[in-house]
Amino acid sequence: MLFLKSTTVTKAPGIYEVDIAAKPPGKTFGVYLATDPDNPPSDVLAALEAAGFQQTHSSGYTHKDRGKVLDLHFQKDGTDLFKGWKVEENEANMAFINKLFSDQGITITPRVMSLAEAYA
């Protein structure tokens, strides 16, 4: 679950928050979205799926300010060991992710999760 201060402000239509994160050692990134279930970002979700990202998690909840939130997680397998991304795959996938979200007016900052966060 992504930390949201409020559901009254969105980063883009239907998107409250975006997190681009990788489990250590940080070569293969996942896309984590907090979305508005009543106004889903259909174009973003369709673009992720068309690029080979598969939804691995979906969980709805009501935020403390009473807004509804749907957390979605997307992963894309690579061809490296344990389905990780090779360098070329990382470059291509991260370029796609950057373009997809910059087209929505969202600046992303990829990060590597802590061990505790990654395996909680």
Side-chain angles (χ1 to χ4, degrees), residues 7 12 21-22 27 30 32 48 50 56 61 72 76 78 110 113 116:
T7 59
K27 295 183 352 179
Y32 303 88
L48 284 168
T56 59
Y61 66 94
L72 301 172
K76 181 176 181 179
M113 297 178 193

Side-chain angles (χ1 to χ4, degrees), residues 23-45:
K23 292 180 180 177
K27 295 183 352 179
T28 305
F29 287 82
V31 178
Y32 303 88
L33 298 168
T35 65
D36 178 351
D38 296 329
N39 180 29
S42 302
D43 53 340
V44 171
L45 301 178

Side-chain angles (χ1 to χ4, degrees), residues 68-81:
K68 289 190 248 175
V69 179
L70 179 62
D71 274 342
L72 301 172
H73 300 182
F74 291 85
Q75 300 287 328
K76 181 176 181 179
D77 290 344
T79 59
D80 205 359
L81 191 63

